[in-house]
Amino acid sequence: SKKIHFDSCLIQMYFTHTFQCMESGILLAMAFDRYVAICDPLRHSAILTKKVLITIITLVTTRASVIIIMCPLLIKLRLTHFRTTIISHSYCEHMAVVKLATED
């Protein structure tokens, strides 16, 4: 199909940007792991316990979800008048959503 519905587009935007934000959080966690491994190698396993790792994973996931949910939610709530709710290509991009709106 070469068309995508507006709500599906917002969901696609949400997941794309959430995974990108999670990627930056994972890189930050990897940098923290490397810092601990270099600065205090003998206590590495004592500092980065399973509880700490689960906390880091939870924080990275929650941070990404909370930061990114605002964009599709605001687009959905603020833009109420559209020419159409179907985008003419299969990948959702920001400019395609902006061109649908009939208001500033």
Side-chain angles (χ1 to χ4, degrees), residues 18-32:
T18 299
F19 290 142
Q20 289 174 347
C21 190
M22 286 173 70
E23 182 180 7
S24 70
I26 290 169
L27 290 173
L28 180 66
M30 290 170 58
F32 176 69

PDB file of all heavy atoms in Angstrom, residues 18-32:
ATOM      1  N   THR A  18      11.190   7.277  19.456  1.00  0.00           N
ATOM      2  CA  THR A  18      11.455   6.657  20.758  1.00  0.00           C
ATOM      3  C   THR A  18      12.670   5.753  20.675  1.00  0.00           C
ATOM      4  O   THR A  18      13.538   5.778  21.560  1.00  0.00           O
ATOM      5  CB  THR A  18      10.226   5.864  21.235  1.00  0.00           C
ATOM      6  OG1 THR A  18       9.123   6.752  21.376  1.00  0.00           O
ATOM      7  CG2 THR A  18      10.491   5.202  22.571  1.00  0.00           C
ATOM      8  N   PHE A  19      12.764   4.960  19.624  1.00  0.00           N
ATOM      9  CA  PHE A  19      13.927   4.073  19.490  1.00  0.00           C
ATOM     10  C   PHE A  19      15.208   4.873  19.273  1.00  0.00           C
ATOM     11  O   PHE A  19      16.275   4.483  19.749  1.00  0.00           O
ATOM     12  CB  PHE A  19      13.708   3.059  18.371  1.00  0.00           C
ATOM     13  CG  PHE A  19      12.659   2.028  18.708  1.00  0.00           C
ATOM     14  CD1 PHE A  19      11.791   1.584  17.746  1.00  0.00           C
ATOM     15  CD2 PHE A  19      12.530   1.529  19.992  1.00  0.00           C
ATOM     16  CE1 PHE A  19      10.822   0.633  18.048  1.00  0.00           C
ATOM     17  CE2 PHE A  19      11.563   0.583  20.309  1.00  0.00           C
ATOM     18  CZ  PHE A  19      10.701   0.136  19.320  1.00  0.00           C
ATOM     19  N   GLN A  20      15.123   5.983  18.576  1.00  0.00           N
ATOM     20  CA  GLN A  20      16.303   6.834  18.417  1.00  0.00           C
ATOM     21  C   GLN A  20      16.728   7.427  19.750  1.00  0.00           C
ATOM     22  O   GLN A  20      17.917   7.506  20.059  1.00  0.00           O
ATOM     23  CB  GLN A  20      16.026   7.947  17.409  1.00  0.00           C
ATOM     24  CG  GLN A  20      15.930   7.464  15.992  1.00  0.00           C
ATOM     25  CD  GLN A  20      15.504   8.559  15.032  1.00  0.00           C
ATOM     26  OE1 GLN A  20      15.053   9.619  15.451  1.00  0.00           O
ATOM     27  NE2 GLN A  20      15.630   8.304  13.744  1.00  0.00           N
ATOM     28  N   CYS A  21      15.773   7.851  20.555  1.00  0.00           N
ATOM     29  CA  CYS A  21      16.082   8.404  21.868  1.00  0.00           C
ATOM     30  C   CYS A  21      16.626   7.315  22.799  1.00  0.00           C
ATOM     31  O   CYS A  21      17.541   7.564  23.592  1.00  0.00           O
ATOM     32  CB  CYS A  21      14.829   9.042  22.457  1.00  0.00           C
ATOM     33  SG  CYS A  21      15.119  10.005  23.934  1.00  0.00           S
ATOM     34  N   MET A  22      16.096   6.109  22.689  1.00  0.00           N
ATOM     35  CA  MET A  22      16.620   4.994  23.491  1.00  0.00           C
ATOM     36  C   MET A  22      18.056   4.676  23.090  1.00  0.00           C
ATOM     37  O   MET A  22      18.871   4.315  23.938  1.00  0.00           O
ATOM     38  CB  MET A  22      15.732   3.760  23.321  1.00  0.00           C
ATOM     39  CG  MET A  22      14.423   3.857  24.054  1.00  0.00           C
ATOM     40  SD  MET A  22      13.307   2.499  23.690  1.00  0.00           S
ATOM     41  CE  MET A  22      14.132   1.156  24.497  1.00  0.00           C
ATOM     42  N   GLU A  23      18.355   4.815  21.814  1.00  0.00           N
ATOM     43  CA  GLU A  23      19.714   4.554  21.343  1.00  0.00           C
ATOM     44  C   GLU A  23      20.704   5.511  21.997  1.00  0.00           C
ATOM     45  O   GLU A  23      21.787   5.099  22.432  1.00  0.00           O
ATOM     46  CB  GLU A  23      19.775   4.684  19.827  1.00  0.00           C
ATOM     47  CG  GLU A  23      21.131   4.379  19.247  1.00  0.00           C
ATOM     48  CD  GLU A  23      21.139   4.512  17.736  1.00  0.00           C
ATOM     49  OE1 GLU A  23      20.150   4.961  17.148  1.00  0.00           O
ATOM     50  OE2 GLU A  23      22.181   4.161  17.151  1.00  0.00           O
ATOM     51  N   SER A  24      20.344   6.780  22.115  1.00  0.00           N
ATOM     52  CA  SER A  24      21.250   7.724  22.768  1.00  0.00           C
ATOM     53  C   SER A  24      21.393   7.404  24.250  1.00  0.00           C
ATOM     54  O   SER A  24      22.474   7.551  24.819  1.00  0.00           O
ATOM     55  CB  SER A  24      20.762   9.159  22.577  1.00  0.00           C
ATOM     56  OG  SER A  24      19.589   9.396  23.312  1.00  0.00           O
ATOM     57  N   GLY A  25      20.327   6.933  24.892  1.00  0.00           N
ATOM     58  CA  GLY A  25      20.410   6.522  26.287  1.00  0.00           C
ATOM     59  C   GLY A  25      21.278   5.291  26.472  1.00  0.00           C
ATOM     60  O   GLY A  25      22.023   5.177  27.463  1.00  0.00           O
ATOM     61  N   ILE A  26      21.207   4.371  25.526  1.00  0.00           N
ATOM     62  CA  ILE A  26      22.050   3.174  25.593  1.00  0.00           C
ATOM     63  C   ILE A  26      23.517   3.551  25.420  1.00  0.00           C
ATOM     64  O   ILE A  26      24.397   3.022  26.108  1.00  0.00           O
ATOM     65  CB  ILE A  26      21.602   2.140  24.535  1.00  0.00           C
ATOM     66  CG1 ILE A  26      20.254   1.553  24.936  1.00  0.00           C
ATOM     67  CG2 ILE A  26      22.635   1.035  24.364  1.00  0.00           C
ATOM     68  CD1 ILE A  26      19.588   0.721  23.865  1.00  0.00           C
ATOM     69  N   LEU A  27      23.791   4.495  24.523  1.00  0.00           N
ATOM     70  CA  LEU A  27      25.174   4.956  24.362  1.00  0.00           C
ATOM     71  C   LEU A  27      25.684   5.637  25.635  1.00  0.00           C
ATOM     72  O   LEU A  27      26.852   5.475  26.011  1.00  0.00           O
ATOM     73  CB  LEU A  27      25.284   5.900  23.170  1.00  0.00           C
ATOM     74  CG  LEU A  27      25.114   5.241  21.798  1.00  0.00           C
ATOM     75  CD1 LEU A  27      25.073   6.301  20.718  1.00  0.00           C
ATOM     76  CD2 LEU A  27      26.225   4.253  21.538  1.00  0.00           C
ATOM     77  N   LEU A  28      24.828   6.370  26.311  1.00  0.00           N
ATOM     78  CA  LEU A  28      25.190   6.986  27.584  1.00  0.00           C
ATOM     79  C   LEU A  28      25.473   5.921  28.642  1.00  0.00           C
ATOM     80  O   LEU A  28      26.455   6.022  29.394  1.00  0.00           O
ATOM     81  CB  LEU A  28      24.078   7.917  28.058  1.00  0.00           C
ATOM     82  CG  LEU A  28      24.319   8.639  29.377  1.00  0.00           C
ATOM     83  CD1 LEU A  28      25.483   9.617  29.231  1.00  0.00           C
ATOM     84  CD2 LEU A  28      23.067   9.354  29.805  1.00  0.00           C
ATOM     85  N   ALA A  29      24.657   4.882  28.693  1.00  0.00           N
ATOM     86  CA  ALA A  29      24.886   3.784  29.636  1.00  0.00           C
ATOM     87  C   ALA A  29      26.191   3.051  29.323  1.00  0.00           C
ATOM     88  O   ALA A  29      26.935   2.659  30.233  1.00  0.00           O
ATOM     89  CB  ALA A  29      23.707   2.814  29.602  1.00  0.00           C
ATOM     90  N   MET A  30      26.485   2.879  28.045  1.00  0.00           N
ATOM     91  CA  MET A  30      27.746   2.233  27.660  1.00  0.00           C
ATOM     92  C   MET A  30      28.939   3.092  28.063  1.00  0.00           C
ATOM     93  O   MET A  30      29.976   2.570  28.498  1.00  0.00           O
ATOM     94  CB  MET A  30      27.757   1.965  26.150  1.00  0.00           C
ATOM     95  CG  MET A  30      26.805   0.886  25.729  1.00  0.00           C
ATOM     96  SD  MET A  30      26.608   0.759  23.946  1.00  0.00           S
ATOM     97  CE  MET A  30      28.252   0.459  23.394  1.00  0.00           C
ATOM     98  N   ALA A  31      28.811   4.404  27.927  1.00  0.00           N
ATOM     99  CA  ALA A  31      29.891   5.302  28.342  1.00  0.00           C
ATOM    100  C   ALA A  31      30.101   5.238  29.850  1.00  0.00           C
ATOM    101  O   ALA A  31      31.244   5.242  30.324  1.00  0.00           O
ATOM    102  CB  ALA A  31      29.573   6.732  27.912  1.00  0.00           C
ATOM    103  N   PHE A  32      29.003   5.154  30.614  1.00  0.00           N
ATOM    104  CA  PHE A  32      29.118   5.014  32.065  1.00  0.00           C
ATOM    105  C   PHE A  32      29.804   3.698  32.433  1.00  0.00           C
ATOM    106  O   PHE A  32      30.666   3.662  33.313  1.00  0.00           O
ATOM    107  CB  PHE A  32      27.736   5.103  32.707  1.00  0.00           C
ATOM    108  CG  PHE A  32      27.757   4.886  34.184  1.00  0.00           C
ATOM    109  CD1 PHE A  32      28.333   5.828  35.029  1.00  0.00           C
ATOM    110  CD2 PHE A  32      27.200   3.747  34.740  1.00  0.00           C
ATOM    111  CE1 PHE A  32      28.353   5.636  36.402  1.00  0.00           C
ATOM    112  CE2 PHE A  32      27.213   3.546  36.097  1.00  0.00           C
ATOM    113  CZ  PHE A  32      27.794   4.489  36.943  1.00  0.00           C
TER     114      PHE A  32
END
